[in-house]
């Protein structure tokens, strides 16, 4: 791969992942997968019966990267590696997804209030017939949240497209009593693990 071709495709709609890749100097092109459209999503993100959270988030991430690579080949586009990621917030072994509406967001935040939960973010890179994955696992402790501040936070609109109904890099930073793990992983793209995977493609961040 020539020096000028040191770039990847990012198979994600997340603006946080774009910001994080830019932060470490990785050049990328967007590869947008369909989500919840009339024709159906490109990757079925439903959890399988009895599937553990780590297995789930790794499987979905790998599927997104593989689908992205197939899409690149069908388009006959330049064969850059395809990076995908997926994040799951886990409370007492249960995956807490994105809220469907404001009321659901309030319910999720009440459940997370005063508890410690886990944030799992998997990263995968697909290129040719090879897929490599990595996993970041962090624990986040929330202080007790009052009903009024939960309502104000939800009214800001920030939690409505976020796993676990919060953004650690946004207003919800004031909810976090402690974090053990990867701050960027909780945001949605663990930069340490991502950089390790990119080195296999002679892409050296920073």
């Amino acid at each position: 791969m020539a020096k000028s071709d040191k770039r990847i495709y990012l198979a994600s709609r997340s603006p946080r992942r774009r910001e994080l890749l830019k932060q470490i100097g990785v050049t990328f092109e967007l590869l947008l997968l369909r989500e919840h459209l009339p024709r159906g999503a490109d990757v079925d993100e439903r959890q399988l019966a009895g599937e553990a959270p780590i297995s789930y988030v790794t499987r979905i991430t790998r599927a997104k990267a593989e689908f992205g690579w197939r899409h690149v080949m069908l388009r006959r586009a330049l064969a850059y590696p395809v990076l995908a990621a997926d994040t799951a917030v886990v409370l007492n072994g249960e995956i807490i997804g994105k809220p469907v509406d404001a009321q659901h967001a309030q319910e999720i935040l009440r459940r997370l209030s005063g508890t410690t939960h886990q944030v799992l973010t998997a990263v995968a890179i697909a290129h040719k017939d090879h897929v490599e994955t990595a996993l970041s696992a962090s624990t986040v402790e929330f202080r007790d949240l009052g009903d009024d501040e939960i309502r104000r936070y939800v009214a800001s609109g920030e939690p409505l497209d976020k796993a676990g109904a919060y953004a650690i890099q946004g207003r919800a930073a004031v909810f976090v009593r402690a974090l053990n793990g990867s701050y960027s992983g909780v945001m949605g793209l663990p930069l340490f693990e991502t950089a390790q995977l990119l080195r296999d493609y002679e892409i050296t961040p920073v």
Side-chain angles (χ1 to χ4, degrees):
M1 195 178 287
K3 178 76 173 174
S4 60
D5 290 337
K6 301 290 187 179
R7 64 179 62 209
I8 63 172
Y9 293 107
L10 173 62
S12 174
R13 293 181 175 272
S14 167
R16 280 81 59 193
R17 294 184 180 123
R18 299 176 208 173
E19 292 166 7
L20 287 165
L21 284 179
K22 289 176 183 177
Q23 178 181 320
I24 60 173
V26 173
T27 302
F28 61 91
E29 296 182 15
L30 286 177
L31 190 64
L32 300 179
L33 306 185
R34 293 198 308 263
E35 298 178 356
H36 313 302
L37 295 179
R39 289 184 295 169
D42 286 327
V43 174
D44 185 349
E45 297 189 32
R46 288 175 293 186
Q47 188 177 10
L48 302 177
E51 186 175 30
I54 288 177
S55 299
Y56 166 79
V57 74
T58 302
R59 176 178 63 83
I60 295 301
T61 302
R62 184 183 183 96
K64 288 179 177 179
E66 290 173 335
F67 183 91
W69 176 254
R70 291 195 299 270
H71 186 65
V72 168
M73 292 296 95
L74 286 171
R75 287 171 47 193
R76 298 184 180 179
L78 294 172
Y80 305 134
V82 175
L83 183 147
D86 196 68
T87 300
V89 171
V90 182
L91 179 64
N92 299 326
E94 177 190 348
I95 293 177
I96 308 297
K98 297 178 181 179
V100 297
D101 56 27
Q103 181 177 346
H104 187 210
Q106 291 186 36
E107 293 170 359
I108 290 173
L109 290 166
R110 289 190 187 100
R111 291 186 64 189
L112 297 181
S113 173
T115 70
T116 297
H117 60 272
Q118 190 174 39
V119 180
L120 305 173
T121 298
V123 185
I125 296 183
H127 188 244
K128 298 182 179 177
D129 59 352
H130 184 68
V131 183
E132 191 74 25
T133 63
L135 179 74
S136 168
S138 303
T139 56
V140 179
E141 180 186 350
F142 270 19
R143 61 172 173 78
D144 290 329
L145 307 180
D147 284 344
D148 285 345
E149 64 182 334
I150 288 175
R151 283 193 291 269
R152 288 195 302 271
Y153 179 57
V154 172
S156 76
E158 184 176 276
L160 296 182
D161 65 340
K162 311 293 191 303
Y166 75 93
I168 195 170
Q169 75 280 10
R171 300 184 185 193
V174 300
F175 300 161
V176 178
R177 185 189 302 277
L179 164 65
N180 183 12
S182 168
Y183 180 83
S184 60
V186 177
M187 279 183 67
L189 187 69
L191 293 181
F192 175 82
E193 288 81 0
T194 298
Q196 296 300 304
L197 292 178
L198 290 173
R199 287 193 175 96
D200 289 342
Y201 300 92
E202 300 180 1
I203 299 173
T204 304
V206 187

